[in-house]
Amino acid sequence: MRIEIISKEVFTSFASKHFLKSFFQTTTYGDFANKGKYSSMYIGAYKDGKLVAASLILSKEISFKVKYGYAPRGFLIDYFNTELLTEFTKAIKGFFFIRGYAFIKINPEITYATIDYKNKTKQINKESEELISTLKSLGYNKLKNNLYYSYILPKYTPIIYLNEYQKKSNNLNDISKNGLNIKVGDLKDIDKFYTYLNTSYDKHTKDYYNVLYSEFSKTNSVDLLLIELNYSLYIKYLQKIYAEKQEENDKINTFFKQNPNDDELYHKKLESDKELNDINNSIALSNKRLELTNMEVVGSALIIKQDERATLLSFGTKEIEKDIYVKTFIINSLLDKYKSENFMFLDLYEIIGSLNDENIYSKKPDFKLEYNPSVYEYIGEFDLSISKTLHRILLTTNKLQKEFSRKVEIMD
């Protein structure tokens, strides 16, 4: 087997037909990476004159004359063909060793387990478990697992199968009555989009998203969607809700006057009074905003499209009244939009791997679980040592920890 640098055209032809294809393994993503800290190359593995594997490799010099490579979402190869994987790994090591690389990082989108958050269980794929052992035996160092957001790419991914999704147009229409509307944005709206991101775990810069949108828009494979709130409609909605809650509150107060010693009624009255007060405050606040503008962007989402898959790469919402349901509106809108456009999957991109009831970032279960997605745990992140000496030096001198902004540990 021989490894060669191949053209974009040859790579695209191979990658577009591969069962592990991903937008991370496209020339569009390679062009995007070239605008940042990486340089890109496309390599192909030939056996008996036939192209049997390929990959976009992103390269970076991390120390003086020491480089590492990164194959985002892994090499495009049949990992379960052990003979092929063994030959390919040997050839890759030789190809990159003479070019001064310390290691090549991969994070294949191969399912290790499916996770059932409701029952707090996971079903492990035995073949993938065996693959991990094979990779280790071939010199791929598996990084230690982390249940939270510290991988380069998500290890835990919730996916909704759109052909099984029942449209909720009526529900969307109900939500729209409170003043929410979705519209398509463009490059000039990246500033607004970035304003709403939760930067506690999304560490990308505004420039990152500017370049990402610019590159993927060239191939019409990105959507930037903005959620607008019409305050005039929203206030009418709140007033309607207030009237309904006031009627309930009057009934509760009448019952409480008749039963003043009923603790359950007392707490129900307090809760109802608070709810009314909250809605009244929302009306007052919205009236103040209406004096400034009738329409405001309150959320945004960036979606990457590839073939039958739409990936919600990132989204965010303005911290406003809880009864606007902006997050719900975003996801429901995406489900309807991409199903109508004949996509097969909506990839919600990332979720924590913990089966505990609480998310350490929001202190409550991840709302994505409300949509009953299929949640997949991938096999994880591996570093293929090209030069064990150089790789060990990078690990022991904290070069890798600084490079990836996290603790880097190899599993035993």
Side-chain angles (χ1 to χ4, degrees), residues 264-301:
E264 186 176 343
L265 265 178
Y266 173 70
H267 289 294
K268 197 171 183 180
K269 167 183 161 51
L270 290 180
E271 186 177 329
S272 178
D273 290 343
K274 182 181 183 305
E275 194 171 11
L276 270 180
N277 185 62
D278 288 344
I279 297 172
N280 192 50
N281 288 337
S282 294
I283 293 173
L285 181 59
S286 297
N287 275 312
K288 287 183 179 179
R289 287 175 176 161
L290 183 58
E291 293 174 2
L292 301 174
T293 180
N294 185 49
M295 192 79 74
E296 182 181 10
V297 175
V298 294
S300 57

Side-chain angles (χ1 to χ4, degrees), residues 34-302:
N34 280 337
K35 301 288 176 62
K37 64 181 183 178
Y38 291 106
S39 60
S40 64
M41 74 168 76
Y42 303 91
I43 57 109
Y46 288 87
K47 184 175 182 180
D48 300 326
K50 181 182 178 181
L51 185 60
V52 294
S55 185
L56 161 64
I57 301 292
L58 305 179
S59 301
K60 184 182 177 186
E61 188 170 295
I62 191 173
S63 187
F64 182 65
K65 292 186 177 180
V66 178
K67 293 178 285 189
Y68 74 88
Y70 171 40
R73 279 303 177 218
F75 310 126
L76 297 177
I77 188 173
D78 182 356
Y79 287 87
F80 295 98
N81 183 332
T82 304
E83 181 181 346
L84 177 64
L85 181 62
T86 301
E87 285 187 63
F88 175 79
T89 301
K90 182 179 178 181
I92 280 286
K93 286 182 177 180
F95 180 87
F96 284 102
F97 182 81
I98 63 175
R99 288 166 171 81
Y101 284 71
F103 67 94
I104 304 291
K105 181 179 292 294
I106 64 171
N107 41 22
E109 199 172 64
I110 295 173
T111 300
Y112 171 72
T114 54
I115 301 178
D116 183 341
Y117 283 84
K118 183 177 180 180
N119 296 310
K120 296 181 172 49
T121 60
K122 67 168 62 177
Q123 184 174 350
I124 295 173
N125 183 322
K126 294 298 182 184
E127 289 185 340
S128 296
E129 197 170 38
E130 292 171 4
L131 173 60
I132 291 174
S133 296
T134 299
L135 287 169
K136 287 181 179 179
S137 71
L138 293 175
Y140 293 84
N141 299 293
K142 190 177 189 310
L143 273 63
K144 284 193 175 180
N145 291 331
N146 193 314
L147 295 175
Y148 303 110
Y149 303 112
S150 64
Y151 288 93
I152 295 179
L153 295 179
K155 187 174 188 287
Y156 305 89
T157 296
I159 291 178
I160 298 173
Y161 292 84
L162 294 176
N163 61 344
E164 299 174 3
Y165 161 71
Q166 298 299 315
K167 291 190 72 171
K168 299 180 180 180
S169 296
N170 291 335
N171 186 35
L172 272 181
N173 289 337
D174 289 341
I175 295 174
S176 295
K177 290 175 185 176
N178 68 14
L180 288 174
N181 180 55
I182 193 165
K183 74 170 188 176
V184 177
D186 54 29
L187 183 60
K188 71 177 183 300
D189 295 307
I190 288 292
D191 283 358
K192 290 180 183 176
F193 159 77
Y194 191 76
T195 299
Y196 303 122
L197 295 188
N198 184 345
T199 54
S200 64
Y201 66 89
D202 189 326
K203 304 300 183 183
H204 297 306
T205 65
K206 190 192 303 181
D207 285 342
Y208 172 93
Y209 285 109
N210 267 308
V211 177
L212 183 80
Y213 183 89
S214 296
E215 291 300 325
F216 278 85
S217 62
K218 293 175 182 176
T219 54
N220 193 32
S221 51
V222 61
D223 284 336
L224 177 60
L225 303 177
L226 304 175
I227 311 302
E228 293 182 322
L229 177 62
N230 183 311
Y231 280 109
S232 296
L233 292 177
Y234 180 52
I235 291 168
K236 289 179 182 178
Y237 164 78
L238 287 177
Q239 289 170 337
K240 175 177 176 292
I241 297 299
Y242 186 88
E244 294 172 355
K245 296 297 181 181
Q246 180 68 68
E247 187 176 342
E248 292 178 13
N249 184 265
D250 290 342
K251 290 179 181 178
I252 292 171
N253 280 320
T254 298
F255 288 134
F256 181 67
K257 286 179 182 178
Q258 296 169 356
N259 304 276
N261 296 321
D262 189 321
D263 287 342
E264 186 176 343
L265 265 178
Y266 173 70
H267 289 294
K268 197 171 183 180
K269 167 183 161 51
L270 290 180
E271 186 177 329
S272 178
D273 290 343
K274 182 181 183 305
E275 194 171 11
L276 270 180
N277 185 62
D278 288 344
I279 297 172
N280 192 50
N281 288 337
S282 294
I283 293 173
L285 181 59
S286 297
N287 275 312
K288 287 183 179 179
R289 287 175 176 161
L290 183 58
E291 293 174 2
L292 301 174
T293 180
N294 185 49
M295 192 79 74
E296 182 181 10
V297 175
V298 294
S300 57
L302 189 94

